Amino acid sequence: MKKRAWTVFFDASGVSLPPQARRTYAPRGRTPTLRHRLNWKRASMAAALGYHAADAGRGPRLFLRL
């Protein structure tokens, strides 16, 4: 009897892109302010690596989604 099983390893991750911290100058006694848009961008990633247990001729498969 042929087995039709796959072994799959899955991983997911998320990345946030906050504004960069920078050096700034202000007159003495005044706190410097940094202005930026609060438009946070976020990227999500997922990947799966699969290997067919019975048929090594199929080879490993990689699936990646951004």
Side-chain angles (χ1 to χ4, degrees), residues 45-61:
M45 299 170 278
L49 176 63
Y51 179 76
H52 196 271
D55 189 6
R58 289 186 179 190
R61 305 277 172 95

Side-chain angles (χ1 to χ4, degrees), residues 28-58:
R28 187 178 293 235
R30 301 193 71 190
T31 303
T33 58
L34 295 175
R35 294 183 185 184
H36 57 82
R37 291 179 282 168
L38 293 177
N39 185 11
W40 299 101
K41 297 185 188 259
R42 184 162 176 83
S44 297
M45 299 170 278
L49 176 63
Y51 179 76
H52 196 271
D55 189 6
R58 289 186 179 190

Side-chain angles (χ1 to χ4, degrees), residues 9 47-50 59-64:
F9 299 96
L49 176 63
R61 305 277 172 95
L62 176 66
F63 179 77
L64 175 67

Side-chain angles (χ1 to χ4, degrees), residues 2-46:
K2 275 216 165 199
K3 304 261 184 200
R4 293 183 292 184
W6 284 82
T7 302
V8 179
F9 299 96
F10 179 78
D11 187 30
S13 180
V15 178
S16 179
L17 304 171
Q20 297 176 358
R22 299 182 183 189
R23 259 186 201 204
T24 185
Y25 299 95
R28 187 178 293 235
R30 301 193 71 190
T31 303
T33 58
L34 295 175
R35 294 183 185 184
H36 57 82
R37 291 179 282 168
L38 293 177
N39 185 11
W40 299 101
K41 297 185 188 259
R42 184 162 176 83
S44 297
M45 299 170 278

